[in-house]
Each structure stands twice: as C-alpha cells, then as structure tokens.
C-alpha cells in the first residue's frame, strides 16, 4: 500500500517573501509573475513596495563596492573613494535613473476652453540621460511641437519638461527615448499632431571609442497631421532655432 508523503511541497513564493531574499529579486519576481518587461528604459515603479527603494539602494551600494574591489581600488585607505559605492548607488537610483523607479510626475490637465488650434512649440528643453550600452552620459535638447484641437487637454509648458525628464531619467537609446516621450504626450494631451526633435551629444563617442568630441545625433518623431501635412512639418522645423 502506497503511503502519502507528509513532506510539504516547496512554496513557490518562499524565495521572494523570505527576509533574507535581496529586494531586487522580490521586485524581479513580481515583474515576471505579471509578465511585465523590465528593460533598462522601462518604468518599474508599480512593482516597488513602500520602503523597498531604500533597501534597493543599500543592495546597489554593496554590489558597487564589489565592482570597486574588482577594479583593485583601495576604498579603505583612499579617502577619495571611501564613500564612492554609496554615492554611486544614490546617483543611479535617486538621480540619473530615477525615471525607472518613480511614478510619472503629476500633470494637471485643463480643457481647451478657447478651442486653440494653432501650432505651439516648446523648447529647447535640456535633457540628460545615459546610454544603455555603456552608461555614459547623453546630454541634449528637445523641441516639441503640438497642434491641439478642441478636445485636446492643455498642460503647462513646464510639464513638458517634467515628462521629458521622467522619460530620459533611465538608461536610454535616443531613438527609443523620443518614441517613448511621443507616446506619453499623445496619451496625456490627445492633439491632432505631435512633432519632437532631439539633438544630443553621446559620451560613448567622445569619452571612449572613436573619441569624437563634435558628433551629435539628431532624430525626430512625427505623429498625426505632422505625418500627412508636409507644409505643417516644414513650418515646425523652420521655427526651431538653429541647432548645434
């Protein structure tokens, strides 16, 4: 006669709920269970519970200290690098990559009471990011052109800068960053048309690699009527001050 085993089955959630489990593992498991992507330029704030960002900072500090150790930097006696691991962890989570870990900024939207339907351009907006390939700085400017309609939600000029900062505050590829920003503005304002131009210097070209100090990348995204109306597109591009 077969006897039933009294040994409990492993708890699938044990690894992610145990106090000794790194917080990054817990967050990653939530993302996987929800079948959500967590690429470098994705926002994952919805999967971070209260208090976990501070624990994640501690975890990144420990691992950054390991990187410094592997680079054979004596952080115990070198006064310049004694707190570098902590500083780098805070820089990544609280500053340059905060667009991954914090929710979108609150944007107050107003109805287009005056039925504005003329081209509006915002810029240049200075943006800062880092490339996903080498984590080298990407610094540039963005111009945003909006053609509203009577149903468009109106947002303050500074809010465009806040949205751009949130999107760029992640490891990014410039082509993808502009598309992400365009998607976000279209969702928030619902205009007839949207045009974005970005010009940026990439330190992965000037600080390393070919070490070309003068090269810049310029790309654009056109949505709605800007795709169909070449006259409107030319008007937008002509109104942008000389870049460079």
């Amino acid at each position: 006669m077969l006897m039933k085993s009294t040994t409990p089955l492993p708890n699938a959630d044990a690894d992610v709920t145990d106090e000794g489990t790194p917080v990054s593992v817990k967050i990653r498991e939530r993302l996987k269970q929800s079948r959500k992507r967590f690429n470098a330029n994705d926002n994952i704030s919805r999967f971070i519970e209260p208090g976990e960002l501070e624990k994640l900072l501690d975890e990144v500090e420990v691992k950054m200290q390991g990187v410094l150790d592997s680079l054979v930097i004596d952080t115990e006696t070198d006064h310049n690098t004694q707190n570098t691991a902590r500083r780098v962890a805070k820089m990544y989570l609280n500053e340059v990559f905060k667009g991954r870990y914090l929710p979108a900024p609150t944007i107050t939207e107003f109805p287009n009471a005056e039925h504005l339907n003329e081209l509006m351009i915002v810029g240049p907006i200075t943006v800062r990011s880092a490339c996903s390939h080498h984590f080298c700085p990407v610094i540039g400017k963005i111009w945003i052109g909006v053609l509203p309609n009577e149903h468009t939600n109106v947002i303050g000029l500074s809010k465009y800068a806040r949205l751009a900062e949130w999107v760029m505050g992640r490891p990014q590829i410039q082509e993808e960053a502009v598309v992400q920003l365009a998607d976000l503005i279209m969702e928030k304002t619902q205009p007839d048309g949207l045009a974005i131009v970005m010009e940026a210097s990439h330190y992965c070209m000037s600080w390393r690699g070919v070490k070309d100090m003068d090269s810049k990348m310029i790309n654009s995204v056109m949505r709605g009527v800007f795709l169909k109306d070449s006259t409107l597109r030319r008007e937008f591009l002509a109104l942008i001050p000389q870049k460079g």
Side-chain angles (χ1 to χ4, degrees):
M1 181 176 177
L2 293 174
M3 300 291 291
K4 280 190 176 180
S5 171
T6 57
T7 304
L9 293 172
N11 183 351
D13 296 327
D15 290 341
V16 296
T17 56
D18 182 75
E19 281 297 317
T21 303
V23 68
S24 63
V25 174
K26 297 179 182 179
I27 296 168
R28 186 180 288 108
E29 285 303 314
R30 288 183 206 126
L31 286 155
K32 288 181 176 179
Q33 288 168 10
S34 299
R35 298 183 179 179
K36 295 296 183 182
R37 209 180 69 163
F38 49 101
N39 287 0
N41 61 357
D42 289 328
N43 179 272
I44 60 171
S45 60
R46 191 160 59 89
F47 299 89
I48 300 175
E49 296 182 355
E52 286 188 334
L53 199 55
E54 291 76 11
K55 294 178 182 178
L56 190 60
L57 195 153
D58 292 339
E59 183 181 332
V60 173
E61 177 187 359
V62 170
K63 293 184 176 179
M64 189 62 216
Q65 182 61 51
V67 171
L68 294 171
D69 293 342
S70 294
L71 290 171
V72 199
I73 296 174
D74 184 358
T75 57
E76 292 183 11
T77 60
D78 178 4
H79 63 280
N80 290 319
T81 57
Q82 283 176 353
N83 294 309
T84 292
R86 185 69 177 181
R87 286 192 291 265
V88 172
K90 290 172 69 175
M91 177 187 71
Y92 280 153
L93 269 68
N94 297 340
E95 296 180 275
V96 294
F97 296 156
K98 66 181 180 180
R100 294 199 79 231
Y101 307 105
L102 298 180
T106 302
I107 302 296
T108 304
E109 303 166 16
F110 304 95
N112 186 1
E114 297 299 323
H115 295 178
L116 302 173
N117 61 357
E118 299 294 334
L119 173 61
M120 176 186 73
I121 298 176
V122 183
I125 298 169
T126 300
V127 291
R128 301 164 184 86
S129 187
C131 74
S132 304
H133 296 157
H134 298 95
F135 277 19
C136 288
V138 174
I139 299 177
K141 297 183 184 299
I142 284 178
W143 291 263
I144 301 171
V146 178
L147 190 72
N149 58 53
E150 60 182 287
H151 305 295
T152 296
N153 293 324
V154 178
I155 64 175
L157 297 182
S158 66
K159 304 306 186 291
Y160 289 99
R162 292 186 185 278
L163 292 175
E165 180 185 31
W166 185 65
V167 168
M168 297 302 296
R170 312 164 195 176
Q172 281 285 12
I173 300 300
Q174 182 171 332
E175 307 94 297
E176 296 177 3
V178 175
V179 171
Q180 283 186 325
L181 181 59
D183 290 343
L184 183 61
I185 295 174
M186 287 294 290
E187 177 190 341
K188 292 284 184 184
T189 62
Q190 300 294 315
D192 276 347
L194 174 70
I196 300 178
V197 169
M198 179 173 173
E199 176 191 65
S201 297
H202 291 245
Y203 281 60
C204 57
M205 283 189 64
S206 58
W207 192 25
R208 57 161 299 281
V210 296
K211 297 184 175 65
D212 188 331
M213 300 297 294
D214 298 319
S215 292
K216 293 184 179 181
M217 179 177 179
I218 303 173
N219 69 316
S220 66
V221 171
M222 304 286 170
R223 298 281 172 84
V225 291
F226 283 97
L227 281 174
K228 304 172 184 175
D229 190 334
S230 59
T231 301
L232 180 64
R233 192 161 58 244
R234 284 196 298 270
E235 180 184 357
F236 166 69
L237 295 172
L239 289 171
I240 294 177
Q242 185 65 39
K243 298 179 287 300

